[in-house]
Amino acid sequence: MPALLRPPLTAFGVACLMSVATLASSGVAFAQAKQQAAPAQAAPAQPPALKQIALTDKQLDGVLAAQKDMDAITEKLPENTAPDQKVIAQLDGVAKKHGFVSYDDYNNVVDNVSLVLGGFDPATKKYVGPEAVIKSQIAQVEADKKMPAKDRKEALDELNQALKTPAPTIENKGNIDIVAKYYDKLVAALGDDQN
């Protein structure tokens, strides 16, 4: 998946990428792709804040149904290139076909799912919070003696940075229950693009 379409939700996003999945079709990344097509500004731009919403069964069914079509489009994109208007129109079409107002609407749902999934322990499939997941990942990396030292150091640096950058608080606590209900399907659909 092209780097511009990955969800850069701060250092917390790094932990999400390493734990459950790289949730590839992110509105935050889509917005950043649009920004990167514009001239660079003097100060680095912050990713847009996540608009938290209360998730519904219909939205999660739509995400699951749309994912295969979304992947078919985004997998063809070259690395580190912003999608052109033709690709954006295709992504909008897929989103609308699966019940979303637009690709941005679809991505906002995926971002909300990503926020919640980042707090699930993959072993127990229970919500424990992002900090506990990151600490567990640190312990796993430290215990992995087969991992090359350079890779271990890089992973630990990223995870420790993620600990220093707290994830946004989940505003809609009901999202935890609905994501738990769809956990296995969401990980299968969204979790195959590991970094």
Side-chain angles (χ1 to χ4, degrees):
M1 170 99 356
L4 291 176
L5 296 179
R6 292 190 185 125
L9 296 174
T10 71
F12 167 69
V14 172
C16 290
L17 295 174
M18 296 184 73
S19 68
V20 180
T22 300
L23 299 177
S25 301
S26 168
V28 175
F30 181 69
Q32 283 189 335
K34 286 182 184 177
Q35 288 175 352
Q36 290 178 5
Q41 298 175 357
Q46 292 292 323
L50 172 64
K51 178 185 171 195
Q52 292 195 38
I53 58 172
L55 296 170
T56 66
D57 288 305
K58 182 180 176 184
Q59 289 170 321
L60 294 187
D61 288 337
V63 166
L64 292 168
Q67 195 58 42
K68 183 177 179 182
D69 293 338
M70 292 291 185
D71 286 346
I73 295 168
T74 58
E75 286 173 353
K76 296 176 187 174
L77 295 175
E79 288 287 327
N80 299 318
T81 59
D84 60 25
Q85 291 303 315
K86 180 181 173 186
V87 173
I88 292 169
Q90 290 175 331
L91 295 170
D92 266 334
V94 171
K96 289 176 183 175
K97 174 182 165 186
H98 293 286
F100 298 95
V101 174
S102 66
Y103 184 61
D104 287 338
D105 180 39
Y106 164 85
N107 281 322
N108 192 49
V109 172
V110 172
D111 287 343
N112 277 268
V113 170
S114 174
L115 177 65
V116 177
L117 279 176
F120 271 82
D121 177 347
T124 64
K125 301 179 185 178
K126 302 284 184 206
Y127 186 83
V128 295
E131 185 176 325
V133 171
I134 295 168
K135 287 179 179 179
S136 172
Q137 292 168 345
I138 289 171
Q140 290 172 2
V141 170
E142 288 174 338
D144 186 352
K145 302 303 178 195
K146 294 180 182 177
M147 181 183 280
K150 180 182 176 191
D151 292 345
R152 181 181 298 117
K153 180 185 180 326
E154 186 176 301
L156 289 173
D157 288 347
E158 289 175 359
L159 289 166
N160 283 312
Q161 184 59 40
L163 269 181
K164 294 176 188 173
T165 310
T169 302
I170 297 173
E171 295 171 5
N172 301 290
K173 301 299 183 195
N175 287 357
I176 295 170
D177 293 333
I178 196 163
V179 168
K181 180 172 143 182
Y182 286 84
Y183 180 84
D184 290 328
K185 290 179 182 178
L186 288 166
V187 170
L190 303 173
D192 59 356
D193 290 327
Q194 291 287 334
N195 266 0

